[in-house]
Amino acid sequence: MRAAIDGPQAGRRVEEVLDRLAATGDPAACAAAEELVRVLMDFYGAGLARIVEKVGDGPLAPVYGDELVASLLSLHGLHPEDVHTRIGRALAAHGEPLELLGFDADTGVLRLRPAAASSSGCGCGSGSGGGPDAGRTLEDTLACFAPEVTSVEQEPAAAPAPALLQIGTRPPSPARVP
C-alpha cells in the first residue's frame, strides 16, 4: 500500500523532481518532463471531470471536506463550491479560530485576524495552534481547499472592548449615633 500524500506535498515533490532535472542542464529532458506532467494532469483532470459529471453533485457532497479530494477538484477547476465556501472549510480544518476580513479574487490575497474568542493572551497573533492540523501551516491547508489564495495577510487581533464601568449613586451611609 502506498503512503498517504496530500496536495501541497505532491506539488512540492513534482517541483523538486523538475528542479533536479533542470540542474542537469538538459533542456530536452526538462521539456519532456514538463510535458509529461501536463499530459498526466490533463488525463487525471478529464477522468475526474467524467466522475463528477456521471455521479453528480449529491453523492460527492460528503467528500468536499476531504483535503485531498478538495485539492484535486480545485486543481482541475471542478470543485462545485465557491471560493468563499472553500476558504471557510480551510479555516475550519486548520483549527485556529480566525476572522475572515476579506478575499481579493483579483490578487489572491486573503486578509485574516485572530478571532475575538481566541485570545491566546498576548495578542501577537501566534494563537494556540491546537487544532487538528497544528503541524500544518495555514497556507498548506488553504492550498488544499482554495488554491486561488496566493497569499495571506494577518492583521493583529482587534483590541478588546473596554470594561464597562458603572457609576451609580452611593448607598446611604449608616446613621451616626451621638
Side-chain angles (χ1 to χ4, degrees):
M1 184 170 182
R2 292 179 128 161
I5 187 168
D6 63 14
Q9 184 181 15
R12 284 190 295 271
R13 288 183 58 196
V14 167
E15 288 296 322
E16 289 169 5
V17 170
L18 292 175
D19 288 346
R20 284 197 320 257
L21 276 170
T24 66
D26 185 348
C30 291
E34 288 177 6
E35 182 180 0
L36 176 62
V37 170
R38 276 191 301 277
V39 168
L40 286 173
M41 290 285 297
D42 291 345
F43 174 70
Y44 286 113
L48 283 171
R50 185 154 313 157
I51 290 169
V52 169
E53 174 188 318
K54 293 199 180 282
V55 172
D57 190 31
L60 290 178
V63 297
Y64 294 155
D66 180 90
E67 289 187 13
L68 181 58
V69 173
S71 179
L72 287 170
L73 291 174
S74 297
L75 180 65
H76 294 285
L78 299 169
H79 207 296
E81 294 178 333
D82 68 15
V83 68
H84 295 287
T85 301
R86 291 183 282 115
I87 288 171
R89 281 187 185 273
L91 295 177
H94 184 64
E96 184 178 342
L98 296 165
E99 180 183 352
L100 175 62
L101 299 177
F103 173 65
D104 185 339
D106 293 332
T107 63
V109 175
L110 178 68
R111 290 181 32 252
L112 304 168
R113 78 170 157 225
S118 74
S119 64
S120 60
C122 67
C124 63
S126 62
S128 63
D133 291 323
R136 298 193 48 199
T137 66
L138 175 61
E139 287 78 6
D140 282 346
T141 306
L142 283 163
C144 290
F145 288 102
E148 299 90 338
V149 176
T150 58
S151 68
V152 176
E153 293 178 359
Q154 287 205 32
E155 296 187 8
L164 179 61
L165 176 63
Q166 293 189 1
I167 302 175
T169 59
R170 190 164 87 178
S173 54
R176 293 187 178 194
V177 180

PDB file of all heavy atoms in Angstrom, residues 41-68:
ATOM      1  N   MET A  41      -1.683  15.534 -15.888  1.00  0.00           N
ATOM      2  CA  MET A  41      -2.677  16.415 -15.264  1.00  0.00           C
ATOM      3  C   MET A  41      -3.947  16.460 -16.110  1.00  0.00           C
ATOM      4  O   MET A  41      -5.055  16.377 -15.582  1.00  0.00           O
ATOM      5  CB  MET A  41      -2.115  17.832 -15.102  1.00  0.00           C
ATOM      6  CG  MET A  41      -1.039  17.950 -14.056  1.00  0.00           C
ATOM      7  SD  MET A  41      -1.685  17.889 -12.399  1.00  0.00           S
ATOM      8  CE  MET A  41      -2.682  19.345 -12.401  1.00  0.00           C
ATOM      9  N   ASP A  42      -3.792  16.598 -17.419  1.00  0.00           N
ATOM     10  CA  ASP A  42      -4.953  16.618 -18.308  1.00  0.00           C
ATOM     11  C   ASP A  42      -5.718  15.303 -18.235  1.00  0.00           C
ATOM     12  O   ASP A  42      -6.952  15.287 -18.201  1.00  0.00           O
ATOM     13  CB  ASP A  42      -4.529  16.901 -19.749  1.00  0.00           C
ATOM     14  CG  ASP A  42      -4.027  18.318 -19.965  1.00  0.00           C
ATOM     15  OD1 ASP A  42      -4.269  19.175 -19.081  1.00  0.00           O
ATOM     16  OD2 ASP A  42      -3.390  18.566 -21.004  1.00  0.00           O
ATOM     17  N   PHE A  43      -4.988  14.190 -18.222  1.00  0.00           N
ATOM     18  CA  PHE A  43      -5.606  12.873 -18.171  1.00  0.00           C
ATOM     19  C   PHE A  43      -6.411  12.681 -16.885  1.00  0.00           C
ATOM     20  O   PHE A  43      -7.594  12.322 -16.918  1.00  0.00           O
ATOM     21  CB  PHE A  43      -4.524  11.792 -18.295  1.00  0.00           C
ATOM     22  CG  PHE A  43      -5.025  10.390 -18.115  1.00  0.00           C
ATOM     23  CD1 PHE A  43      -5.843   9.798 -19.065  1.00  0.00           C
ATOM     24  CD2 PHE A  43      -4.665   9.658 -16.994  1.00  0.00           C
ATOM     25  CE1 PHE A  43      -6.306   8.499 -18.900  1.00  0.00           C
ATOM     26  CE2 PHE A  43      -5.123   8.368 -16.826  1.00  0.00           C
ATOM     27  CZ  PHE A  43      -5.948   7.788 -17.773  1.00  0.00           C
ATOM     28  N   TYR A  44      -5.780  12.953 -15.755  1.00  0.00           N
ATOM     29  CA  TYR A  44      -6.484  12.796 -14.482  1.00  0.00           C
ATOM     30  C   TYR A  44      -7.615  13.814 -14.333  1.00  0.00           C
ATOM     31  O   TYR A  44      -8.666  13.508 -13.783  1.00  0.00           O
ATOM     32  CB  TYR A  44      -5.514  12.890 -13.297  1.00  0.00           C
ATOM     33  CG  TYR A  44      -4.670  11.659 -13.158  1.00  0.00           C
ATOM     34  CD1 TYR A  44      -3.299  11.695 -13.366  1.00  0.00           C
ATOM     35  CD2 TYR A  44      -5.243  10.434 -12.832  1.00  0.00           C
ATOM     36  CE1 TYR A  44      -2.526  10.552 -13.254  1.00  0.00           C
ATOM     37  CE2 TYR A  44      -4.482   9.286 -12.715  1.00  0.00           C
ATOM     38  CZ  TYR A  44      -3.120   9.350 -12.934  1.00  0.00           C
ATOM     39  OH  TYR A  44      -2.369   8.222 -12.816  1.00  0.00           O
ATOM     40  N   GLY A  45      -7.404  15.013 -14.836  1.00  0.00           N
ATOM     41  CA  GLY A  45      -8.458  16.023 -14.795  1.00  0.00           C
ATOM     42  C   GLY A  45      -9.674  15.600 -15.600  1.00  0.00           C
ATOM     43  O   GLY A  45     -10.817  15.766 -15.162  1.00  0.00           O
ATOM     44  N   ALA A  46      -9.434  15.021 -16.781  1.00  0.00           N
ATOM     45  CA  ALA A  46     -10.544  14.547 -17.610  1.00  0.00           C
ATOM     46  C   ALA A  46     -11.279  13.399 -16.908  1.00  0.00           C
ATOM     47  O   ALA A  46     -12.514  13.320 -16.946  1.00  0.00           O
ATOM     48  CB  ALA A  46     -10.027  14.096 -18.976  1.00  0.00           C
ATOM     49  N   GLY A  47     -10.528  12.520 -16.252  1.00  0.00           N
ATOM     50  CA  GLY A  47     -11.160  11.422 -15.512  1.00  0.00           C
ATOM     51  C   GLY A  47     -12.001  11.935 -14.356  1.00  0.00           C
ATOM     52  O   GLY A  47     -13.140  11.484 -14.154  1.00  0.00           O
ATOM     53  N   LEU A  48     -11.478  12.894 -13.621  1.00  0.00           N
ATOM     54  CA  LEU A  48     -12.247  13.484 -12.520  1.00  0.00           C
ATOM     55  C   LEU A  48     -13.485  14.201 -13.032  1.00  0.00           C
ATOM     56  O   LEU A  48     -14.565  14.104 -12.431  1.00  0.00           O
ATOM     57  CB  LEU A  48     -11.377  14.461 -11.724  1.00  0.00           C
ATOM     58  CG  LEU A  48     -10.379  13.843 -10.769  1.00  0.00           C
ATOM     59  CD1 LEU A  48      -9.443  14.918 -10.213  1.00  0.00           C
ATOM     60  CD2 LEU A  48     -11.082  13.128  -9.639  1.00  0.00           C
ATOM     61  N   ALA A  49     -13.347  14.904 -14.142  1.00  0.00           N
ATOM     62  CA  ALA A  49     -14.496  15.609 -14.718  1.00  0.00           C
ATOM     63  C   ALA A  49     -15.593  14.614 -15.096  1.00  0.00           C
ATOM     64  O   ALA A  49     -16.775  14.858 -14.855  1.00  0.00           O
ATOM     65  CB  ALA A  49     -14.070  16.419 -15.935  1.00  0.00           C
ATOM     66  N   ARG A  50     -15.192  13.483 -15.645  1.00  0.00           N
ATOM     67  CA  ARG A  50     -16.179  12.482 -16.017  1.00  0.00           C
ATOM     68  C   ARG A  50     -16.854  11.899 -14.780  1.00  0.00           C
ATOM     69  O   ARG A  50     -18.061  11.670 -14.781  1.00  0.00           O
ATOM     70  CB  ARG A  50     -15.525  11.375 -16.839  1.00  0.00           C
ATOM     71  CG  ARG A  50     -16.581  10.401 -17.319  1.00  0.00           C
ATOM     72  CD  ARG A  50     -16.284   9.652 -18.559  1.00  0.00           C
ATOM     73  NE  ARG A  50     -15.779  10.467 -19.639  1.00  0.00           N
ATOM     74  CZ  ARG A  50     -15.045   9.961 -20.633  1.00  0.00           C
ATOM     75  NH1 ARG A  50     -14.762   8.674 -20.653  1.00  0.00           N
ATOM     76  NH2 ARG A  50     -14.615  10.731 -21.589  1.00  0.00           N
ATOM     77  N   ILE A  51     -16.097  11.667 -13.722  1.00  0.00           N
ATOM     78  CA  ILE A  51     -16.689  11.158 -12.470  1.00  0.00           C
ATOM     79  C   ILE A  51     -17.703  12.153 -11.934  1.00  0.00           C
ATOM     80  O   ILE A  51     -18.832  11.795 -11.582  1.00  0.00           O
ATOM     81  CB  ILE A  51     -15.593  10.870 -11.418  1.00  0.00           C
ATOM     82  CG1 ILE A  51     -14.761   9.659 -11.832  1.00  0.00           C
ATOM     83  CG2 ILE A  51     -16.209  10.654 -10.033  1.00  0.00           C
ATOM     84  CD1 ILE A  51     -13.503   9.462 -11.006  1.00  0.00           C
ATOM     85  N   VAL A  52     -17.318  13.422 -11.860  1.00  0.00           N
ATOM     86  CA  VAL A  52     -18.213  14.457 -11.346  1.00  0.00           C
ATOM     87  C   VAL A  52     -19.470  14.542 -12.208  1.00  0.00           C
ATOM     88  O   VAL A  52     -20.587  14.638 -11.696  1.00  0.00           O
ATOM     89  CB  VAL A  52     -17.490  15.828 -11.278  1.00  0.00           C
ATOM     90  CG1 VAL A  52     -18.461  16.957 -11.000  1.00  0.00           C
ATOM     91  CG2 VAL A  52     -16.396  15.787 -10.221  1.00  0.00           C
ATOM     92  N   GLU A  53     -19.287  14.466 -13.524  1.00  0.00           N
ATOM     93  CA  GLU A  53     -20.424  14.539 -14.451  1.00  0.00           C
ATOM     94  C   GLU A  53     -21.373  13.354 -14.263  1.00  0.00           C
ATOM     95  O   GLU A  53     -22.581  13.518 -14.202  1.00  0.00           O
ATOM     96  CB  GLU A  53     -19.890  14.558 -15.891  1.00  0.00           C
ATOM     97  CG  GLU A  53     -20.949  14.496 -16.965  1.00  0.00           C
ATOM     98  CD  GLU A  53     -20.309  14.323 -18.341  1.00  0.00           C
ATOM     99  OE1 GLU A  53     -19.280  14.991 -18.608  1.00  0.00           O
ATOM    100  OE2 GLU A  53     -20.826  13.529 -19.125  1.00  0.00           O
ATOM    101  N   LYS A  54     -20.839  12.139 -14.151  1.00  0.00           N
ATOM    102  CA  LYS A  54     -21.676  10.946 -14.074  1.00  0.00           C
ATOM    103  C   LYS A  54     -22.291  10.727 -12.699  1.00  0.00           C
ATOM    104  O   LYS A  54     -23.415  10.274 -12.583  1.00  0.00           O
ATOM    105  CB  LYS A  54     -20.883   9.713 -14.504  1.00  0.00           C
ATOM    106  CG  LYS A  54     -20.520   9.757 -15.979  1.00  0.00           C
ATOM    107  CD  LYS A  54     -20.163   8.411 -16.504  1.00  0.00           C
ATOM    108  CE  LYS A  54     -19.808   8.455 -17.955  1.00  0.00           C
ATOM    109  NZ  LYS A  54     -20.940   8.536 -18.848  1.00  0.00           N
ATOM    110  N   VAL A  55     -21.543  11.051 -11.653  1.00  0.00           N
ATOM    111  CA  VAL A  55     -22.042  10.828 -10.296  1.00  0.00           C
ATOM    112  C   VAL A  55     -22.957  11.964  -9.860  1.00  0.00           C
ATOM    113  O   VAL A  55     -23.931  11.747  -9.157  1.00  0.00           O
ATOM    114  CB  VAL A  55     -20.872  10.642  -9.310  1.00  0.00           C
ATOM    115  CG1 VAL A  55     -21.347  10.595  -7.885  1.00  0.00           C
ATOM    116  CG2 VAL A  55     -20.085   9.398  -9.653  1.00  0.00           C
ATOM    117  N   GLY A  56     -22.618  13.164 -10.257  1.00  0.00           N
ATOM    118  CA  GLY A  56     -23.422  14.304  -9.856  1.00  0.00           C
ATOM    119  C   GLY A  56     -22.974  14.871  -8.529  1.00  0.00           C
ATOM    120  O   GLY A  56     -22.179  14.284  -7.806  1.00  0.00           O
ATOM    121  N   ASP A  57     -23.522  16.013  -8.209  1.00  0.00           N
ATOM    122  CA  ASP A  57     -23.115  16.758  -7.016  1.00  0.00           C
ATOM    123  C   ASP A  57     -23.538  16.078  -5.721  1.00  0.00           C
ATOM    124  O   ASP A  57     -22.779  16.015  -4.774  1.00  0.00           O
ATOM    125  CB  ASP A  57     -23.699  18.169  -7.091  1.00  0.00           C
ATOM    126  CG  ASP A  57     -23.142  19.089  -6.042  1.00  0.00           C
ATOM    127  OD1 ASP A  57     -21.980  18.904  -5.650  1.00  0.00           O
ATOM    128  OD2 ASP A  57     -23.876  19.986  -5.596  1.00  0.00           O
ATOM    129  N   GLY A  58     -24.751  15.556  -5.668  1.00  0.00           N
ATOM    130  CA  GLY A  58     -25.283  14.992  -4.428  1.00  0.00           C
ATOM    131  C   GLY A  58     -24.394  13.961  -3.766  1.00  0.00           C
ATOM    132  O   GLY A  58     -23.983  14.127  -2.617  1.00  0.00           O
ATOM    133  N   PRO A  59     -24.049  12.879  -4.458  1.00  0.00           N
ATOM    134  CA  PRO A  59     -23.210  11.853  -3.816  1.00  0.00           C
ATOM    135  C   PRO A  59     -21.801  12.324  -3.484  1.00  0.00           C
ATOM    136  O   PRO A  59     -21.142  11.743  -2.641  1.00  0.00           O
ATOM    137  CB  PRO A  59     -23.164  10.733  -4.860  1.00  0.00           C
ATOM    138  CG  PRO A  59     -24.359  10.949  -5.709  1.00  0.00           C
ATOM    139  CD  PRO A  59     -24.578  12.435  -5.735  1.00  0.00           C
ATOM    140  N   LEU A  60     -21.314  13.348  -4.146  1.00  0.00           N
ATOM    141  CA  LEU A  60     -19.967  13.832  -3.870  1.00  0.00           C
ATOM    142  C   LEU A  60     -19.906  14.803  -2.692  1.00  0.00           C
ATOM    143  O   LEU A  60     -18.842  15.008  -2.123  1.00  0.00           O
ATOM    144  CB  LEU A  60     -19.381  14.516  -5.113  1.00  0.00           C
ATOM    145  CG  LEU A  60     -19.038  13.600  -6.278  1.00  0.00           C
ATOM    146  CD1 LEU A  60     -18.525  14.419  -7.455  1.00  0.00           C
ATOM    147  CD2 LEU A  60     -17.992  12.579  -5.870  1.00  0.00           C
ATOM    148  N   ALA A  61     -21.030  15.395  -2.332  1.00  0.00           N
ATOM    149  CA  ALA A  61     -21.041  16.418  -1.277  1.00  0.00           C
ATOM    150  C   ALA A  61     -20.334  15.974   0.007  1.00  0.00           C
ATOM    151  O   ALA A  61     -19.622  16.774   0.609  1.00  0.00           O
ATOM    152  CB  ALA A  61     -22.473  16.866  -0.992  1.00  0.00           C
ATOM    153  N   PRO A  62     -20.485  14.718   0.449  1.00  0.00           N
ATOM    154  CA  PRO A  62     -19.800  14.329   1.695  1.00  0.00           C
ATOM    155  C   PRO A  62     -18.267  14.363   1.621  1.00  0.00           C
ATOM    156  O   PRO A  62     -17.616  14.415   2.650  1.00  0.00           O
ATOM    157  CB  PRO A  62     -20.286  12.900   1.948  1.00  0.00           C
ATOM    158  CG  PRO A  62     -21.562  12.783   1.192  1.00  0.00           C
ATOM    159  CD  PRO A  62     -21.401  13.677  -0.003  1.00  0.00           C
ATOM    160  N   VAL A  63     -17.690  14.349   0.430  1.00  0.00           N
ATOM    161  CA  VAL A  63     -16.230  14.326   0.348  1.00  0.00           C
ATOM    162  C   VAL A  63     -15.610  15.695   0.069  1.00  0.00           C
ATOM    163  O   VAL A  63     -14.402  15.817  -0.025  1.00  0.00           O
ATOM    164  CB  VAL A  63     -15.734  13.303  -0.718  1.00  0.00           C
ATOM    165  CG1 VAL A  63     -16.127  11.906  -0.337  1.00  0.00           C
ATOM    166  CG2 VAL A  63     -16.200  13.673  -2.104  1.00  0.00           C
ATOM    167  N   TYR A  64     -16.427  16.737  -0.036  1.00  0.00           N
ATOM    168  CA  TYR A  64     -15.884  18.069  -0.295  1.00  0.00           C
ATOM    169  C   TYR A  64     -14.992  18.553   0.838  1.00  0.00           C
ATOM    170  O   TYR A  64     -14.126  19.387   0.633  1.00  0.00           O
ATOM    171  CB  TYR A  64     -16.986  19.093  -0.546  1.00  0.00           C
ATOM    172  CG  TYR A  64     -17.780  18.849  -1.810  1.00  0.00           C
ATOM    173  CD1 TYR A  64     -19.066  19.319  -1.937  1.00  0.00           C
ATOM    174  CD2 TYR A  64     -17.237  18.143  -2.873  1.00  0.00           C
ATOM    175  CE1 TYR A  64     -19.792  19.106  -3.089  1.00  0.00           C
ATOM    176  CE2 TYR A  64     -17.957  17.915  -4.018  1.00  0.00           C
ATOM    177  CZ  TYR A  64     -19.236  18.400  -4.128  1.00  0.00           C
ATOM    178  OH  TYR A  64     -19.962  18.187  -5.263  1.00  0.00           O
ATOM    179  N   GLY A  65     -15.203  18.063   2.044  1.00  0.00           N
ATOM    180  CA  GLY A  65     -14.387  18.463   3.179  1.00  0.00           C
ATOM    181  C   GLY A  65     -13.079  17.700   3.280  1.00  0.00           C
ATOM    182  O   GLY A  65     -12.229  18.029   4.103  1.00  0.00           O
ATOM    183  N   ASP A  66     -12.889  16.690   2.442  1.00  0.00           N
ATOM    184  CA  ASP A  66     -11.633  15.931   2.433  1.00  0.00           C
ATOM    185  C   ASP A  66     -10.575  16.743   1.692  1.00  0.00           C
ATOM    186  O   ASP A  66     -10.791  17.164   0.552  1.00  0.00           O
ATOM    187  CB  ASP A  66     -11.850  14.582   1.739  1.00  0.00           C
ATOM    188  CG  ASP A  66     -10.587  13.756   1.714  1.00  0.00           C
ATOM    189  OD1 ASP A  66     -10.377  12.993   2.673  1.00  0.00           O
ATOM    190  OD2 ASP A  66      -9.810  13.887   0.737  1.00  0.00           O
ATOM    191  N   GLU A  67      -9.436  16.970   2.327  1.00  0.00           N
ATOM    192  CA  GLU A  67      -8.419  17.844   1.741  1.00  0.00           C
ATOM    193  C   GLU A  67      -7.905  17.345   0.400  1.00  0.00           C
ATOM    194  O   GLU A  67      -7.716  18.128  -0.526  1.00  0.00           O
ATOM    195  CB  GLU A  67      -7.259  18.045   2.712  1.00  0.00           C
ATOM    196  CG  GLU A  67      -7.627  18.908   3.882  1.00  0.00           C
ATOM    197  CD  GLU A  67      -6.442  19.255   4.762  1.00  0.00           C
ATOM    198  OE1 GLU A  67      -5.290  19.029   4.350  1.00  0.00           O
ATOM    199  OE2 GLU A  67      -6.675  19.774   5.858  1.00  0.00           O
ATOM    200  N   LEU A  68      -7.667  16.048   0.272  1.00  0.00           N
ATOM    201  CA  LEU A  68      -7.137  15.528  -0.985  1.00  0.00           C
ATOM    202  C   LEU A  68      -8.157  15.677  -2.107  1.00  0.00           C
ATOM    203  O   LEU A  68      -7.843  16.140  -3.200  1.00  0.00           O
ATOM    204  CB  LEU A  68      -6.722  14.065  -0.835  1.00  0.00           C
ATOM    205  CG  LEU A  68      -6.126  13.420  -2.083  1.00  0.00           C
ATOM    206  CD1 LEU A  68      -4.892  14.185  -2.556  1.00  0.00           C
ATOM    207  CD2 LEU A  68      -5.785  11.967  -1.817  1.00  0.00           C
TER     208      LEU A  68
END
